[in-house]
Structures are given as structure tokens and as C-alpha cells.
Coordinates of all heavy atoms in Angstrom, one line a residue:
M1 N 19.1 0.4 -2.9 CA 19.5 -1.0 -2.9 C 18.4 -2.0 -2.8 O 18.4 -3.0 -3.5 CB 20.4 -1.3 -1.7 CG 21.1 -2.7 -1.8 SD 22.5 -2.9 -0.8 CE 21.9 -3.3 0.7
V2 N 17.4 -1.7 -2.1 CA 16.1 -2.6 -2.0 C 15.5 -2.6 -3.3 O 15.1 -3.6 -3.9 CB 15.2 -2.1 -0.9 CG1 14.0 -2.9 -0.9 CG2 15.9 -2.2 0.5
E3 N 15.3 -1.4 -4.0 CA 14.6 -1.3 -5.3 C 15.4 -2.1 -6.3 O 14.8 -2.8 -7.1 CB 14.5 0.1 -5.6 CG 13.8 0.2 -7.0 CD 12.4 -0.2 -7.1 OE1 11.7 -0.4 -6.0 OE2 11.9 -0.5 -8.2
I4 N 16.6 -2.0 -6.3 CA 17.5 -2.6 -7.4 C 17.1 -4.3 -7.2 O 17.0 -4.9 -8.2 CB 19.0 -2.4 -7.2 CG1 19.3 -1.0 -7.5 CG2 19.7 -3.4 -8.1 CD1 20.6 -0.4 -7.2
H5 N 17.2 -4.8 -6.0 CA 16.9 -6.2 -5.8 C 15.5 -6.5 -6.3 O 15.3 -7.5 -7.0 CB 16.9 -6.4 -4.2 CG 16.3 -7.8 -3.9 ND1 17.0 -8.9 -4.0 CD2 15.2 -8.2 -3.5 CE1 16.3 -10.0 -3.8 NE2 15.1 -9.6 -3.2
C6 N 14.6 -5.6 -6.0 CA 13.1 -5.9 -6.5 C 13.1 -6.0 -7.9 O 12.5 -7.0 -8.4 CB 12.3 -5.0 -5.9 SG 12.1 -4.8 -4.0
V7 N 13.6 -5.1 -8.6 CA 13.5 -5.0 -10.0 C 14.2 -6.1 -10.7 O 13.7 -6.7 -11.5 CB 14.0 -3.6 -10.6 CG1 14.1 -3.6 -12.1 CG2 13.0 -2.4 -10.1
A8 N 15.4 -6.5 -10.2 CA 16.2 -7.5 -10.7 C 15.6 -8.8 -10.6 O 15.7 -9.8 -11.5 CB 17.6 -7.4 -10.2
N9 N 14.8 -9.1 -9.6 CA 14.2 -10.3 -9.3 C 12.8 -10.6 -9.8 O 12.3 -11.6 -9.8 CB 14.3 -10.7 -7.9 CG 15.8 -10.9 -7.4 OD1 16.4 -11.8 -8.0 ND2 16.3 -10.1 -6.6
E10 N 12.1 -9.5 -10.2 CA 10.7 -9.6 -10.4 C 10.3 -9.1 -11.8 O 9.2 -9.5 -12.3 CB 9.9 -8.8 -9.4 CG 9.9 -9.3 -8.1 CD 9.3 -10.6 -7.8 OE1 8.3 -11.0 -8.5 OE2 10.0 -11.4 -7.1
C11 N 11.2 -8.6 -12.6 CA 10.7 -7.9 -13.9 C 10.6 -9.0 -15.0 O 9.6 -9.0 -15.8 CB 11.7 -6.9 -14.3 SG 11.1 -6.1 -15.9
A12 N 11.5 -9.9 -15.1 CA 11.5 -11.0 -16.0 C 11.4 -10.5 -17.5 O 10.9 -11.2 -18.4 CB 10.4 -12.0 -15.7
G13 N 11.7 -9.3 -17.8 CA 11.8 -8.8 -19.2 C 10.4 -8.4 -19.7 O 10.2 -8.0 -20.9
Q14 N 9.4 -8.3 -18.9 CA 8.1 -7.9 -19.3 C 7.9 -6.5 -18.7 O 8.2 -6.1 -17.7 CB 7.0 -8.9 -18.8 CG 7.3 -10.2 -19.2 CD 6.8 -11.4 -18.3 OE1 6.7 -11.0 -17.1 NE2 6.7 -12.6 -18.9
N15 N 7.0 -5.7 -19.5 CA 6.7 -4.3 -19.1 C 5.3 -4.3 -18.6 O 4.5 -5.2 -18.5 CB 7.0 -3.4 -20.1 CG 6.1 -3.7 -21.4 OD1 5.1 -4.3 -21.4 ND2 6.5 -3.1 -22.6
N16 N 4.9 -3.1 -18.0 CA 3.7 -2.9 -17.5 C 2.5 -3.1 -18.5 O 1.5 -3.7 -18.2 CB 3.5 -1.4 -17.1 CG 4.4 -1.0 -15.8 OD1 4.6 -2.0 -15.0 ND2 4.7 0.2 -15.6
A17 N 2.8 -2.8 -19.8 CA 1.7 -2.9 -20.8 C 1.4 -4.5 -20.9 O 0.3 -5.0 -21.1 CB 2.1 -2.3 -22.1
Y18 N 2.5 -5.3 -21.0 CA 2.4 -6.7 -21.1 C 1.5 -7.3 -20.0 O 0.5 -8.0 -20.2 CB 3.7 -7.4 -21.0 CG 3.6 -8.9 -20.9 CD1 3.5 -9.6 -22.1 CD2 3.8 -9.6 -19.7 CE1 3.4 -11.0 -22.1 CE2 3.7 -10.9 -19.5 CZ 3.5 -11.7 -20.8 OH 3.3 -13.0 -20.6
H19 N 1.8 -6.9 -18.8 CA 1.0 -7.3 -17.7 C -0.4 -6.9 -17.7 O -1.4 -7.6 -17.4 CB 1.7 -6.9 -16.3 CG 2.9 -7.6 -15.9 ND1 2.9 -8.9 -15.5 CD2 4.2 -7.3 -16.0 CE1 4.1 -9.3 -15.2 NE2 4.9 -8.4 -15.6
A20 N -0.6 -5.7 -18.1 CA -2.0 -5.1 -18.2 C -2.8 -5.9 -19.3 O -4.0 -6.3 -19.0 CB -2.1 -3.6 -18.5
N21 N -2.2 -6.1 -20.4 CA -2.8 -6.7 -21.5 C -3.0 -8.2 -21.4 O -4.0 -8.8 -21.9 CB -2.0 -6.6 -22.8 CG -2.0 -5.2 -23.3 OD1 -3.0 -4.4 -23.1 ND2 -1.0 -4.7 -24.0
T22 N -2.2 -8.9 -20.6 CA -2.4 -10.3 -20.3 C -3.3 -10.6 -19.0 O -3.6 -11.7 -18.7 CB -1.0 -11.1 -20.1 OG1 -0.3 -10.5 -19.1 CG2 -0.3 -10.9 -21.5
G23 N -3.5 -9.5 -18.2 CA -4.3 -9.7 -17.0 C -3.5 -10.6 -16.0 O -4.2 -11.2 -15.2
S24 N -2.2 -10.3 -15.9 CA -1.5 -11.1 -14.9 C -1.9 -10.7 -13.5 O -2.6 -9.6 -13.3 CB 0.1 -10.6 -15.1 OG 0.3 -9.3 -14.5
S25 N -1.6 -11.6 -12.5 CA -1.9 -11.3 -11.2 C -1.3 -10.1 -10.7 O -2.0 -9.4 -9.9 CB -1.5 -12.6 -10.3 OG -0.1 -12.8 -10.3
Q26 N -0.1 -9.7 -11.1 CA 0.5 -8.4 -10.7 C -0.4 -7.3 -11.2 O -0.6 -6.2 -10.5 CB 1.9 -8.4 -11.3 CG 2.9 -9.3 -10.7 CD 4.4 -9.1 -11.3 OE1 4.6 -8.3 -12.2 NE2 5.2 -10.0 -11.0
A27 N -0.8 -7.4 -12.5 CA -1.7 -6.2 -13.0 C -3.0 -6.1 -12.2 O -3.5 -5.1 -11.9 CB -2.0 -6.5 -14.4
E28 N -3.6 -7.3 -11.9 CA -4.9 -7.2 -11.1 C -4.7 -6.6 -9.8 O -5.5 -5.8 -9.2 CB -5.3 -8.8 -10.9 CG -5.9 -9.3 -12.1 CD -6.3 -10.7 -12.0 OE1 -6.4 -11.3 -10.9 OE2 -6.8 -11.4 -13.0
R29 N -3.4 -6.9 -9.0 CA -3.2 -6.2 -7.7 C -3.1 -4.8 -7.8 O -3.3 -4.1 -6.9 CB -2.1 -7.0 -7.1 CG -2.3 -8.3 -6.5 CD -1.1 -8.8 -5.7 NE 0.1 -8.9 -6.4 CZ 0.6 -9.9 -7.0 NH1 -0.1 -11.0 -7.1 NH2 1.8 -9.9 -7.6
S30 N -2.5 -4.3 -8.9 CA -2.3 -2.9 -9.1 C -3.4 -2.1 -9.9 O -3.1 -1.1 -10.2 CB -0.9 -2.7 -9.7 OG -0.8 -3.1 -11.0
H31 N -4.4 -2.8 -10.3 CA -5.5 -2.3 -11.2 C -4.9 -1.8 -12.4 O -5.3 -0.8 -12.9 CB -6.2 -1.3 -10.3 CG -6.8 -1.7 -9.0 ND1 -7.8 -2.6 -8.9 CD2 -6.3 -1.5 -7.8 CE1 -7.9 -2.8 -7.7 NE2 -7.1 -2.3 -6.9
D32 N -3.9 -2.5 -13.0 CA -3.3 -2.1 -14.2 C -2.5 -0.8 -14.3 O -2.1 -0.4 -15.3 CB -4.3 -2.1 -15.4 CG -5.0 -3.4 -15.7 OD1 -4.3 -4.5 -15.4 OD2 -6.1 -3.5 -16.2
L33 N -2.3 -0.3 -13.2 CA -1.5 1.0 -13.0 C -0.1 0.7 -12.5 O 0.0 0.3 -11.4 CB -2.3 2.0 -12.1 CG -3.7 2.3 -12.5 CD1 -4.4 3.2 -11.4 CD2 -3.7 3.0 -13.8
S34 N 0.9 1.2 -13.2 CA 2.4 1.1 -12.7 C 2.5 -0.2 -12.0 O 3.1 -0.4 -11.0 CB 2.6 2.2 -11.7 OG 2.3 3.4 -12.2
V35 N 2.2 -1.4 -12.8 CA 2.3 -2.7 -12.4 C 3.6 -3.1 -11.7 O 3.7 -3.5 -10.6 CB 1.9 -3.7 -13.5 CG1 2.1 -5.1 -13.1 CG2 0.6 -3.3 -14.0
L36 N 4.7 -2.9 -12.4 CA 6.0 -3.3 -11.9 C 6.4 -2.5 -10.8 O 7.1 -3.0 -9.8 CB 7.0 -3.3 -13.1 CG 6.7 -4.2 -14.2 CD1 7.9 -4.0 -15.3 CD2 6.8 -5.6 -13.7
E37 N 6.1 -1.2 -10.8 CA 6.5 -0.3 -9.7 C 5.7 -0.7 -8.5 O 6.3 -0.7 -7.3 CB 6.1 1.2 -10.1 CG 7.0 1.6 -11.2 CD 6.8 1.2 -12.6 OE1 5.6 0.6 -12.8 OE2 7.5 1.3 -13.6
F38 N 4.5 -0.9 -8.5 CA 3.7 -1.3 -7.4 C 4.1 -2.8 -6.8 O 4.3 -2.9 -5.6 CB 2.2 -1.3 -7.6 CG 1.6 0.0 -7.5 CD1 1.0 0.6 -8.7 CD2 1.5 0.7 -6.2 CE1 0.4 1.8 -8.4 CE2 0.9 1.9 -6.1 CZ 0.3 2.5 -7.3
N39 N 4.5 -3.6 -7.7 CA 5.1 -4.8 -7.3 C 6.3 -4.7 -6.5 O 6.6 -5.3 -5.5 CB 5.3 -5.7 -8.5 CG 5.6 -7.1 -8.2 OD1 5.0 -7.8 -7.4 ND2 6.8 -7.6 -8.5
S40 N 7.3 -3.8 -7.1 CA 8.5 -3.5 -6.3 C 8.2 -3.0 -5.0 O 9.0 -3.3 -4.0 CB 9.4 -2.6 -7.1 OG 9.8 -3.0 -8.3
L41 N 7.3 -1.9 -4.9 CA 7.0 -1.5 -3.5 C 6.4 -2.5 -2.6 O 6.8 -2.5 -1.4 CB 6.0 -0.3 -3.7 CG 6.5 0.9 -4.4 CD1 5.4 1.9 -4.8 CD2 7.5 1.6 -3.5
T42 N 5.6 -3.5 -3.1 CA 5.1 -4.4 -2.3 C 6.3 -5.4 -1.7 O 6.2 -5.6 -0.5 CB 4.1 -5.4 -3.1 OG1 3.0 -4.5 -3.4 CG2 3.6 -6.4 -2.2
I43 N 7.1 -5.7 -2.5 CA 8.2 -6.5 -2.2 C 9.1 -5.7 -1.1 O 9.7 -6.2 -0.1 CB 9.1 -6.9 -3.4 CG1 8.4 -7.9 -4.2 CG2 10.4 -7.6 -3.0 CD1 8.9 -8.2 -5.6
M44 N 9.4 -4.4 -1.4 CA 10.1 -3.6 -0.4 C 9.5 -3.6 0.9 O 10.2 -3.7 1.9 CB 10.3 -2.2 -1.0 CG 11.1 -1.4 -0.1 SD 11.1 0.4 -0.5 CE 9.4 0.8 0.1
V45 N 8.2 -3.4 1.0 CA 7.5 -3.4 2.3 C 7.6 -4.7 3.0 O 8.0 -4.7 4.2 CB 6.0 -3.1 2.1 CG1 5.2 -3.4 3.3 CG2 5.9 -1.5 1.6
D46 N 7.6 -5.8 2.2 CA 7.7 -7.1 2.8 C 9.1 -7.2 3.3 O 9.4 -7.9 4.5 CB 7.5 -8.3 1.8 CG 5.9 -8.4 1.5 OD1 5.1 -7.9 2.3 OD2 5.5 -9.0 0.4
L47 N 10.1 -6.8 2.6 CA 11.6 -7.0 3.0 C 11.7 -6.1 4.3 O 12.5 -6.6 5.3 CB 12.5 -6.5 2.0 CG 12.7 -7.4 0.7 CD1 13.4 -6.8 -0.3 CD2 13.2 -8.7 1.2
L48 N 11.1 -4.9 4.4 CA 11.3 -4.0 5.5 C 10.6 -4.5 6.8 O 10.9 -4.1 7.8 CB 10.9 -2.6 5.2 CG 11.7 -1.8 4.2 CD1 11.1 -0.5 4.0 CD2 13.1 -1.6 4.8
K49 N 9.8 -5.6 6.7 CA 9.2 -6.2 7.7 C 10.2 -7.0 8.6 O 10.0 -7.4 9.7 CB 8.0 -7.0 7.4 CG 6.7 -6.1 7.0 CD 5.6 -7.0 6.6 CE 4.4 -6.0 6.1 NZ 3.4 -6.9 5.6
Q50 N 11.3 -7.4 7.9 CA 12.3 -8.1 8.4 C 13.1 -7.3 9.3 O 13.8 -6.3 8.8 CB 13.1 -9.0 7.4 CG 12.3 -9.9 6.5 CD 13.2 -10.6 5.5 OE1 14.4 -10.8 5.6 NE2 12.5 -10.8 4.4
K51 N 13.4 -7.5 10.6 CA 14.2 -6.7 11.5 C 15.5 -6.4 10.9 O 16.1 -5.3 11.1 CB 14.1 -7.3 12.9 CG 12.8 -7.3 13.6 CD 13.0 -7.8 15.0 CE 11.5 -7.8 15.6 NZ 11.5 -8.2 17.0
D52 N 16.1 -7.4 10.4 CA 17.5 -7.1 10.0 C 17.7 -6.3 8.7 O 18.7 -5.9 8.3 CB 18.3 -8.5 9.8 CG 17.7 -9.5 8.8 OD1 16.4 -9.3 8.6 OD2 18.4 -10.2 8.1
L53 N 16.6 -6.1 7.9 CA 16.6 -5.3 6.8 C 15.9 -3.9 7.0 O 15.9 -3.1 6.1 CB 15.9 -6.0 5.6 CG 16.6 -7.3 5.2 CD1 15.8 -8.0 4.1 CD2 18.0 -7.0 4.7
N54 N 15.3 -3.7 8.1 CA 14.4 -2.5 8.3 C 15.3 -1.3 8.8 O 15.6 -1.1 9.9 CB 13.4 -2.7 9.3 CG 12.4 -1.6 9.4 OD1 12.7 -0.4 8.9 ND2 11.4 -1.7 10.1
F55 N 15.9 -0.7 7.9 CA 16.8 0.4 8.2 C 16.1 1.7 8.8 O 16.8 2.5 9.4 CB 17.7 0.9 7.0 CG 16.8 1.5 5.9 CD1 16.6 2.9 5.8 CD2 16.2 0.8 4.9 CE1 15.8 3.4 4.7 CE2 15.5 1.3 3.9 CZ 15.2 2.7 3.9
M56 N 14.8 1.7 8.8 CA 14.0 2.7 9.3 C 13.5 2.5 10.8 O 12.8 3.3 11.3 CB 12.8 3.2 8.3 CG 13.2 3.5 7.0 SD 11.8 4.2 6.0 CE 10.8 2.6 5.8
A57 N 13.9 1.3 11.3 CA 13.3 1.0 12.6 C 13.6 2.0 13.7 O 12.8 2.2 14.6 CB 13.9 -0.4 13.0
G58 N 14.7 2.6 13.7 CA 15.1 3.6 14.7 C 14.7 5.0 14.5 O 14.8 5.8 15.2
F59 N 13.9 5.2 13.3 CA 13.5 6.6 12.9 C 12.2 6.8 13.8 O 11.4 6.1 14.1 CB 13.1 6.7 11.5 CG 14.4 6.6 10.6 CD1 15.6 6.3 11.0 CD2 14.1 6.6 9.2 CE1 16.7 6.1 10.2 CE2 15.3 6.4 8.3 CZ 16.5 6.2 8.8
S60 N 12.0 8.3 13.9 CA 10.8 8.7 14.5 C 9.5 8.3 13.6 O 9.8 8.1 12.3 CB 10.7 10.1 14.8 OG 10.7 10.8 13.5
K61 N 8.3 8.3 14.0 CA 7.1 7.9 13.3 C 7.2 8.9 12.0 O 6.8 8.6 10.9 CB 6.0 7.9 14.0 CG 4.7 7.6 13.2 CD 3.4 7.5 14.1 CE 2.3 7.2 13.3 NZ 1.0 7.0 14.0
K62 N 7.2 10.3 12.4 CA 7.2 11.3 11.3 C 8.1 11.1 10.2 O 7.9 11.2 9.0 CB 7.3 12.7 12.1 CG 7.2 13.9 11.1 CD 7.3 15.1 11.7 CE 7.2 16.3 10.7 NZ 7.3 17.5 11.4
K63 N 9.5 10.8 10.6 CA 10.5 10.6 9.7 C 10.2 9.3 8.8 O 10.5 9.3 7.7 CB 11.9 10.4 10.4 CG 13.1 10.5 9.5 CD 14.4 10.6 10.1 CE 15.5 10.6 9.2 NZ 16.8 10.9 9.9
R64 N 9.6 8.2 9.4 CA 9.4 7.1 8.6 C 8.3 7.3 7.5 O 8.4 6.9 6.5 CB 8.8 5.9 9.6 CG 10.0 5.2 10.2 CD 9.5 3.9 11.0 NE 8.3 4.0 11.7 CZ 8.1 4.3 12.9 NH1 9.3 4.6 13.7 NH2 7.0 4.4 13.6
I65 N 7.4 8.1 8.0 CA 6.2 8.4 7.1 C 6.7 9.3 6.0 O 6.4 8.9 4.8 CB 5.1 9.1 7.8 CG1 4.4 8.1 8.7 CG2 4.0 9.7 6.9 CD1 3.3 8.7 9.7
T66 N 7.5 10.3 6.2 CA 8.1 11.1 5.2 C 9.0 10.4 4.3 O 8.9 10.5 3.1 CB 8.9 12.2 5.9 OG1 8.0 12.9 6.8 CG2 9.5 13.2 4.9
L67 N 9.7 9.4 4.8 CA 10.7 8.7 4.0 C 9.9 7.7 3.1 O 10.2 7.6 1.9 CB 11.7 8.0 4.8 CG 12.8 7.2 4.0 CD1 13.6 8.1 2.9 CD2 13.8 6.5 5.0
R68 N 8.9 7.0 3.7 CA 8.1 6.1 3.0 C 7.5 6.8 1.8 O 7.4 6.2 0.8 CB 7.0 5.5 3.9 CG 6.2 4.4 3.3 CD 5.2 3.9 4.4 NE 4.5 2.8 3.7 CZ 3.3 3.0 3.2 NH1 2.8 4.2 3.1 NH2 2.7 2.0 2.7
K69 N 6.7 8.0 2.1 CA 6.2 8.7 0.8 C 7.2 9.1 -0.2 O 6.8 9.0 -1.4 CB 5.5 9.9 1.5 CG 4.2 9.6 2.3 CD 3.6 10.9 2.7 CE 2.4 10.7 3.6 NZ 1.7 11.9 4.1
A70 N 8.3 9.5 0.2 CA 9.4 9.8 -0.8 C 9.8 8.6 -1.6 O 9.9 8.8 -2.8 CB 10.6 10.5 -0.1
I71 N 10.0 7.5 -0.9 CA 10.4 6.2 -1.6 C 9.3 5.9 -2.7 O 9.5 5.6 -3.8 CB 10.6 5.1 -0.6 CG1 11.9 5.4 0.1 CG2 10.7 3.8 -1.3 CD1 12.2 4.5 1.3
I72 N 8.0 5.9 -2.3 CA 6.9 5.6 -3.1 C 6.8 6.5 -4.3 O 6.7 6.1 -5.4 CB 5.6 5.7 -2.3 CG1 5.4 4.5 -1.3 CG2 4.3 5.6 -3.2 CD1 4.4 4.7 -0.3
E73 N 7.0 7.7 -4.1 CA 7.0 8.7 -5.2 C 8.1 8.4 -6.1 O 8.0 8.5 -7.3 CB 7.2 10.1 -4.6 CG 7.0 11.2 -5.6 CD 7.1 12.6 -5.0 OE1 6.5 12.8 -4.0 OE2 7.6 13.6 -5.6
L74 N 9.3 8.2 -5.5 CA 10.6 7.9 -6.5 C 10.3 6.7 -7.3 O 10.6 6.7 -8.5 CB 11.7 7.8 -5.6 CG 12.3 9.1 -4.9 CD1 13.3 8.8 -4.0 CD2 12.8 10.0 -6.1
V75 N 9.7 5.5 -6.6 CA 9.7 4.4 -7.4 C 8.5 4.5 -8.5 O 8.7 4.1 -9.5 CB 9.3 3.2 -6.4 CG1 8.8 2.0 -7.2 CG2 10.4 3.0 -5.5
L76 N 7.4 5.2 -8.0 CA 6.4 5.3 -9.1 C 6.8 6.3 -10.2 O 6.3 6.1 -11.3 CB 5.1 6.0 -8.5 CG 4.4 5.0 -7.5 CD1 3.1 5.7 -6.9 CD2 3.9 3.6 -8.2
S77 N 7.9 7.1 -10.0 CA 8.3 8.1 -11.1 C 9.0 7.3 -12.1 O 9.4 7.8 -13.1 CB 9.1 9.2 -10.3 OG 10.3 8.7 -10.0
T78 N 9.5 6.1 -11.8 CA 10.2 5.3 -12.7 C 9.3 4.6 -13.8 O 9.8 4.1 -14.8 CB 10.9 4.1 -12.1 OG1 10.1 3.2 -11.6 CG2 11.9 4.7 -11.0
D79 N 8.0 4.8 -13.8 CA 7.0 4.3 -14.8 C 7.0 5.3 -15.8 O 6.5 6.5 -15.8 CB 5.6 4.2 -14.2 CG 4.6 3.7 -15.2 OD1 4.9 3.6 -16.4 OD2 3.5 3.4 -14.8
F80 N 7.8 5.0 -17.0 CA 7.9 5.9 -18.2 C 6.6 6.4 -18.7 O 6.5 7.5 -19.4 CB 8.7 5.4 -19.2 CG 10.3 5.3 -18.6 CD1 10.8 4.0 -18.4 CD2 11.0 6.4 -18.4 CE1 12.2 4.0 -18.0 CE2 12.3 6.4 -17.8 CZ 12.8 4.9 -17.8
S81 N 5.5 5.7 -18.6 CA 4.3 6.1 -19.2 C 3.7 7.3 -18.5 O 2.8 7.9 -19.1 CB 3.3 4.9 -19.3 OG 2.8 4.7 -17.7
R82 N 4.2 7.6 -17.3 CA 3.6 8.7 -16.5 C 4.5 10.0 -16.7 O 4.2 11.1 -16.2 CB 3.6 8.4 -15.1 CG 2.5 7.3 -14.8 CD 2.5 7.0 -13.3 NE 1.3 6.2 -13.1 CZ 0.6 6.5 -12.0 NH1 0.8 7.3 -11.1 NH2 -0.6 5.8 -11.9
H83 N 5.6 9.9 -17.4 CA 6.5 11.0 -17.5 C 6.0 12.2 -18.3 O 6.4 13.3 -18.2 CB 7.8 10.6 -18.3 CG 8.7 9.8 -17.4 ND1 10.0 9.7 -17.6 CD2 8.4 9.1 -16.2 CE1 10.6 9.0 -16.6 NE2 9.7 8.6 -15.7
F84 N 4.9 12.0 -19.1 CA 4.4 13.1 -19.9 C 3.1 13.8 -19.3 O 2.3 14.4 -20.0 CB 4.3 12.8 -21.3 CG 5.7 12.5 -21.8 CD1 6.0 11.1 -22.0 CD2 6.7 13.4 -22.1 CE1 7.3 10.8 -22.6 CE2 7.9 13.1 -22.5 CZ 8.2 11.8 -22.8
E85 N 2.6 13.2 -18.1 CA 1.4 13.7 -17.6 C 1.5 15.0 -17.0 O 2.6 15.5 -16.5 CB 1.0 12.7 -16.5 CG 0.6 11.4 -17.0 CD 0.1 10.4 -15.9 OE1 0.1 10.8 -14.7 OE2 -0.4 9.4 -16.2

């Protein structure tokens, strides 16, 4: 649900190549790699800092780290340019 919110509100119809080619601030922050995906992860982390949205607050540290890594991997896997690596 968090990812859907991020993508719907930040994409604006532009893809990673557009951001890399235009040198957008998003591309600079992600070093031109998986621009939209890294932007979505940044927004997700900011949202999870809000106590009312942090569904992982009650998890053990180990479980939070494991889930965080899984979420990052899942979001980055949505970059179609990496599907054939």
C-alpha cells in the first residue's frame, strides 16, 4: 500500500531514462540508477518515520531488518531495465 502511494504521487509519467537524461534532482540523488524506485523507497522511509504509519514499530530489530531488505529488493525489482541482468 505504501509503494502504491509513492508511485502514484511521484512518477508524473516520466521514466528512469527521462530523469537520467535530464539530470533531474531525483536522478542525482540515485546516481542515475533505478531513479523512480529509489525515490519511492525514500518516500516510504519518510512515511514510516511517522508513528501512525510505522507498521513495523512492534517488530524485533532482526525482523525489521529482514523486512526492510525484502521491501528494498521488491521495489528495486520493479525497474524493468534490470530484468535481463
Side-chain angles (χ1 to χ4, degrees):
M1 185 163 87
V2 174
E3 178 62 19
I4 292 168
H5 168 78
C6 295
V7 171
N9 288 296
E10 295 296 322
C11 183
Q14 298 149 344
N15 61 20
N16 288 334
Y18 170 84
H19 285 281
N21 290 331
T22 61
S24 72
S25 60
Q26 289 178 7
E28 289 176 5
R29 284 192 302 271
S30 67
H31 307 286
D32 296 335
L33 302 172
S34 302
V35 178
L36 297 174
E37 292 76 14
F38 277 112
N39 186 55
S40 292
L41 288 167
T42 300
I43 293 168
M44 183 192 73
V45 168
D46 289 344
L47 290 172
L48 289 176
K49 289 179 182 175
Q50 298 177 33
K51 289 184 180 184
D52 58 329
L53 297 177
N54 189 353
F55 65 91
M56 297 188 294
F59 294 2
S60 68
K61 182 177 180 177
K62 183 178 179 181
K63 189 171 184 176
R64 280 193 316 271
I65 291 170
T66 301
L67 183 56
R68 183 177 183 272
K69 287 180 180 181
I71 291 170
I72 291 168
E73 186 176 323
L74 287 169
V75 172
L76 291 177
S77 74
T78 65
D79 181 351
F80 290 113
S81 71
R82 295 177 162 222
H83 282 201
F84 301 103
E85 289 181 353

